[in-house]
Amino acid sequence: MKEEIETLTKKLVSICSVNGSDGGEKAIADYIESYLQKIPYFRKHPDRIIIQPLKDDALQRRNVMALLLGEKDDNPHTLIWHGHMDTVGVDDYKSLKPYAFDPDALEKALHQMTLPKEMQADLDSGDYLFGRGALDMKSGDAVFLVLLKHLAENVSELSGNILLSINPVEENRHQGIIEETPILMSLKETYHLEYVAAINNDYTCPLYPDDPHHYVYMGTVGKLLPCFYIQGKETHVGQPFEGFDASRIAAKLVDRITLNTDFLDVYNDEYTLPPMVLKMKDLKDSYNVQTAFDSFVYFNYLVHNEEITETIPKFTKVAQEILDEELDYLNAQYQKFCRLTHTSCTPYTFQPKVYTFAQLKEKYLETFDHDQYSELEKIAAILNERGEDQRDIPISMVKSMLNELAINDPVIVLYFAAPYCPHNTLKDEDGQEKALKDKLTQMVKNFGEKVHLDYKVLQFFPSLSDSSYIKIDDSKESITALQDNFPAMKYLYNLDTTTMKALNIPALDFGVYGKDAHKWMERVYKPYSFEVLPQLILEAVHTLL
């Protein structure tokens, strides 16, 4: 089985399926479908290969699913195995770019180079397979496909069912799994399935230098994208104290929020990583000697258990503090300048204010009707169809609302934008989830002792993944807060949160093992990924089904 998995991994890597590339994700979906069609079980049951084209997708990307119904007995318990078929780009390979999708040629080329010490040792060992997608996560797809073929050949001995799902568009918007959730519900009803858990095979890696552990995760981290639109007061640089510089406010937000461990979220002694700025810009469209009237900044914000109703006050509080501090700073500097230049000084009395989008919308609807607001949403939908950045599109809505309400003082408007990745995990507070958690923990412990590996079971897979969309731990109130503060969400990121909540499938990650995903040094460790991991997954099949 090891050689078969390695051979299939190389084949999948050879298919360039960079997210958003022309034809790449379609080509790999075609190959996976053809692989499944050659398995005798699916030749006998062709209707159990389910192909779902993504809606209105110019790249013709598709979800590929396969349902294996065990024949040993009438057992509705079903495990979902899911992974993704897309990869990130290859520009980071530079001179090695021609070899990025050819593991054998890449290995030869690497032997001719001077490499970092650890990478050189891994290359010399012969235990690693290199290439874009080798770790993230075509090796994981290969493990699932070969295991499914093995189980299908012995389907009469299988109690319970396996639903394989391999999706595109994981590396940015998660559109594949999002559109698949109604299919999961439909299959559940049609075949009377009881989803026990979903195992994602996305990569695992060392969490610190010389980390001796392998990891199993019982949930996944969530993500919010808090966006700050900042309206200041422009001025000519010849009258610098007469304005309120939006660029300074953006910079202060970055300084106050980025890497700030006060914003960590913790559950069961597991902490998120701190927030990081992803984009900061002023909104001037050309050079002039005017200070920026407005600016824009957004952050990556990770969540383990925090409700969005708790998140919003954190950000509005720091935003208001920054506005107040900036007004104090402006007046203090102006007064100092006036003393130095022996001129009169009148302090500025701006009233800077922070609005959530929900608050701004409420204020807008006190003056204008819903039809007028709907027009703003329709404009957002048009901009989305044109391919405008989904983070930027709400800016036009916010600016229109501020203009029509004649709000001219400095303001910050907080809103959320795509993507929103819900957080989930198995919780001790839920008796059924605790029982499953205890069963899995014991299974992993016993397996680790058998194969002489040190496993750690953690609550949250630390990288963003499709596992977010099959179980949502956010409460109804939390989801409502998100929707209220996500401009034109039905057009820009229309999630069927009702179906996702109803599915409520425990989201696990066992994962292939390797190093440097999303880097040109990406590599998968073959002895574990192709030999040990398949055994662990089969152990989970026997334990959970």
Side-chain angles (χ1 to χ4, degrees), residues 99-388:
Y99 314 115
F101 301 109
D102 186 338
D104 292 333
L106 179 59
E107 183 175 336
K108 290 178 183 177
L110 289 171
H111 276 294
Q112 308 305 313
M113 299 177 63
T114 300
L115 302 172
K117 183 177 179 181
E118 182 179 349
M119 185 180 180
Q120 185 67 57
D122 290 345
L123 177 66
D124 293 341
S125 73
D127 286 336
Y128 285 84
L129 190 152
F130 293 77
R132 175 56 79 229
L135 177 62
D136 184 16
M137 60 161 288
K138 291 179 177 179
S139 53
D141 295 332
V143 168
F144 278 155
L145 287 164
V146 171
L147 281 178
L148 189 72
K149 178 183 174 185
H150 166 77
L151 290 178
E153 290 169 351
N154 301 276
V155 68
S156 62
E157 301 172 19
L158 176 65
S159 176
N161 317 294
I162 305 293
L163 175 60
L164 174 72
S165 169
I166 303 181
N167 310 103
V169 206
E170 191 269 356
E171 292 291 1
N172 53 16
R173 297 189 68 243
H174 307 278
Q175 204 60 34
I177 192 70
I178 288 170
E179 292 192 19
E180 186 180 283
T181 52
I183 302 293
L184 295 177
M185 187 63 75
S186 175
L187 290 172
K188 178 181 180 179
E189 294 168 355
T190 300
Y191 291 96
H192 309 291
L193 307 177
E194 182 181 327
Y195 294 133
V196 175
I199 298 176
N200 192 352
N201 208 359
D202 214 337
Y203 75 93
T204 61
C205 61
L207 297 184
Y208 52 87
D210 300 319
D211 183 358
H213 303 105
H214 286 275
Y215 293 93
V216 168
Y217 299 97
M218 298 194 178
T220 189
V221 66
K223 167 178 173 163
L224 294 167
L225 200 78
C227 303
F228 297 82
Y229 170 76
I230 302 143
Q231 173 182 283
K233 277 189 175 295
E234 77 284 4
T235 186
H236 191 284
V237 294
Q239 294 86 40
F241 296 107
E242 295 178 12
F244 199 90
D245 189 358
S247 293
R248 278 182 53 85
I249 302 303
K252 284 178 174 290
L253 283 165
V254 172
D255 181 62
R256 193 72 59 88
I257 294 173
T258 295
L259 291 175
N260 188 343
T261 53
D262 289 341
F263 285 91
L264 300 185
D265 183 29
V266 60
Y267 177 78
N268 204 12
D269 293 327
E270 288 186 28
Y271 287 85
T272 60
L273 294 169
M276 290 294 296
V277 62
L278 292 179
K279 192 165 190 175
M280 178 180 71
K281 61 180 180 179
D282 68 47
L283 299 178
K284 294 170 67 172
D285 56 11
S286 62
Y287 170 80
N288 58 39
V289 289
Q290 190 180 61
T291 60
F293 169 70
D294 54 3
S295 61
F296 181 58
V297 59
Y298 58 77
F299 298 86
N300 189 77
Y301 184 71
L302 301 178
V303 181
H304 278 172
N305 196 50
E306 183 176 279
E307 295 278 281
I308 295 168
T309 49
E310 299 173 278
T311 304
I312 291 171
K314 281 186 177 181
F315 285 115
T316 55
K317 180 176 183 290
V318 73
Q320 187 64 59
E321 288 172 353
I322 287 169
L323 287 177
D324 294 341
E325 290 167 8
E326 181 64 11
L327 181 58
D328 291 343
Y329 177 80
L330 173 66
N331 278 320
Q333 293 302 312
Y334 182 40
Q335 291 168 3
K336 182 177 180 181
F337 180 81
C338 291
R339 287 196 303 272
L340 293 170
T341 58
H342 307 292
T343 55
S344 62
C345 180
T346 302
Y348 290 98
T349 57
F350 304 136
Q351 293 183 324
K353 181 175 176 59
V354 176
Y355 293 95
T356 64
F357 183 79
Q359 289 169 337
L360 183 62
K361 179 181 174 182
E362 181 180 12
K363 189 175 183 67
Y364 187 82
L365 291 176
E366 289 172 357
T367 306
F368 305 100
D369 59 28
H370 281 272
D371 289 342
Q372 194 157 336
Y373 177 77
S374 296
E375 288 301 314
L376 297 178
E377 289 190 315
K378 290 174 183 176
I379 293 170
I382 292 170
L383 293 175
N384 190 46
E385 290 171 3
R386 291 178 184 170
E388 297 286 334

Side-chain angles (χ1 to χ4, degrees), residues 426-489:
L426 296 179
K427 293 190 171 183
D428 292 339
E429 297 91 328
D430 183 298
Q432 192 171 359
E433 290 185 5
K434 185 179 187 307
L436 177 57
K437 177 181 174 181
D438 291 345
K439 181 187 288 189
L440 285 165
T441 301
Q442 189 62 50
M443 180 203 81
V444 171
K445 180 177 182 293
N446 293 343
F447 182 80
E449 292 172 353
K450 184 170 71 172
V451 297
H452 308 293
L453 288 176
D454 188 359
Y455 279 94
K456 290 190 77 172
V457 178
L458 298 179
Q459 298 275 172
F460 300 94
F461 181 62
S463 300
L464 303 174
S465 84
D466 280 347
S467 297
S468 282
Y469 300 95
I470 54 176
K471 183 178 188 287
I472 300 179
D473 284 354
D474 272 308
S475 68
K476 182 179 178 181
E477 292 74 20
S478 184
I479 293 171
T480 298
L482 172 78
Q483 293 166 337
D484 289 345
N485 288 286
F486 195 126
M489 186 175 184

